[in-house]
Amino acid sequence: VSTQSTGSSGINAEYGEPPPISALDTALDTVEHFSLESGSESEEEDLDFGGDEFRVPLSAENTLFRPGDYNDSDCSSDEEEIRNRIGNIPMEWYDEYDHIGYDIHGDKVVKTKSAKDGDQLDKLLDRMDNPDFWRTVHNKREGEDIVLPDEDMAIIEKMRSNSYPDLGYNPYEPYIDFFTNERMDTPLVDTPEPKRRFIPSKHEHKKVMKIIRAMRNGWIKPKEDTPKKPVYFDLWTNKTEPQKHNPMHIPAPKLPLPGNEESYNPPAEYLPSQEERDQWENTDEADRSQNFLPQKYSCLRHVPAYPQLINEKFDRCLDLYLCPRKMKMKLNMNPDDLLPKLPKPKDLKPFPSTKAVKFSDHEGHVYSIDSNKSGEFIVSGGEDKMLRIWESSTGRVLSKIALPDTITSVKWNKVHSMVAAACGDTVYILNPGLGDRVVLESTNKLLQGLTDIQEVEHCRWFPLGNDKDGLRTKIVHNSNVSNLTWHNNGNYLAVTMRDSQSCPVLIHNVAKHSSQKPFNKSKGQIQQVEFHPSKPFFYVLSQRYVRVYNLVKQAMVRKLICSVKWASCMAIHPKGDNLIVGSYDKTLVWFDMDLSVKPYKSLAQHKKAIRDVSFIRGILSTLQVQMIVRLLLPTVWFIMIS
């Protein structure tokens, strides 16, 4: 390539410095319009690129630049964020789950819906609507769609046309013969063969003679084949292996030792009276406690023969012959070892003993508080009509959202980046914009599906668009909302309205923007509802009972009796096998779902009404009217920590 720059000296060389990438791309596009098979090997074309002139010989033997001149160090593929940290394992293992792996913090990477994974109709619609469908690929490991740039598409086109993807690669480079095939007159190494290769080894001769000497002296003897003894077994049995002599022998149980009533001279208290004799004689033989009556003799030679001796021995033989026996392992165990050892309070630390962080920004009472799945952020609401999102480690307020009425309940979705807040008769659903980027984008797509006002029975759905505070949807009900509960899959929201008689409970489907009424009529005033963590069960708490419904069969499964006057709240263990209920009459009730419908334990340690109960990593916490929090360890033994 001959290069001449305007205002500078020209440089002529067989391989000069390559022009800039943009100029090279233009030069390549221009060269492709010429045919290399026309035979004009010496023709040259002057190309002008912004003041620079390049003379490109149109020959198959010349290339624009040498191999290795192309520098791909500016490739940004290594700087991409790797979210999925599962390693090099098949992605088919996660087909049955709702996630595709775990990120660097150990949280699940939720699957995102892609048109590439849908059916043929979804692919057809996406092909017609998306102009970049033909250049979009789906990354199964990260769960997202990637649009290929023009550079990657150019490389793919070259590979499909059976050409080299690297523009500077020349497959016809001259071969460099590093080793000659001509025999040299003076070789580098020409030493003669050593003598030791043609004579026997003395070392091996010594070892062989040592073994021969040991065999002659009798130190080494060959192994003699010992004749096998004949094995006798039953010819008429189906088993081919010889049977062992009674391998499962179980000894007969021993007879009990004789007592005082069997003595020939028993004490006076063992001798029966006349009434006892008459009663024993009138009783049937099978119902008698013993087969004889104690008698007293002056000496042993006056004792007659026992008439029932042969009968008892015969019964003993029948028991040994007909009654089956079973080997039981006897456990030598100390009863004190079965009791659990109570730990000392100082060994149970760290438990809350001092105030670590104070969240002080609300004006008035705080009615509800909840945290996200990792516990990094906290949402709260109360009397001041302001929804606040905090950073739990520092107590700093990240955002404030003003709502039109007092906030009675807030709940953070554990799957999506979604917060539900109850404000009067309205439930607001918002995206706080905190957490994983992919989860935030999937949440926005989920909430943007509602475009118009949708009226259903007992409520109305209103879209709020892309509000700057994160508000996306609001649901207006016929009565004030008192409690909210999210399902574990993150798509269902249960709403409790204590003052409503016709519709106290509603279940909203956030993904489909629909609502349904699970009960036609309520049995008593409903205080709270909860979803089972892993099974399709729905718990409904009234004043005195907890009713468990199966959502699949649409029928009531169990009815738990709380044994309190007025229940106020309830909580389910993360594994779903325990349930606790708090009441206004200062009693905490613990149910074991594998046992009876009645309480397993009842604790009356509170002095005021219990307002809220919850499970936190296996520890039970209660909140009473005096603003005192009690932490309990729900094991076989109850231990009050604080």
Side-chain angles (χ1 to χ4, degrees), residues 8 113 275 298 338 453 492 544 556 566 597:
S8 62
K113 187 177 180 182
E275 296 179 359
S298 58
L338 300 176
I453 300 176
Y492 296 95
R544 295 187 179 183
M556 187 176 67
W566 195 310
V597 296

Side-chain angles (χ1 to χ4, degrees), residues 345 348 351 603-606 629-633 637-642:
L348 296 175
F351 55 80
L603 300 178
Q605 299 176 352
H606 298 76
V629 178
R630 295 177 182 267
L631 301 181
L632 303 176
L633 187 63
W637 299 84
F638 276 82
I639 304 166
M640 185 181 297
I641 298 177
S642 173

Side-chain angles (χ1 to χ4, degrees), residues 3-12 17 51-54:
T3 310
Q4 293 182 0
S5 177
T6 304
S8 62
S9 60
I11 300 174
N12 295 326
E17 294 182 358
D52 295 340
E53 182 179 359
F54 300 93

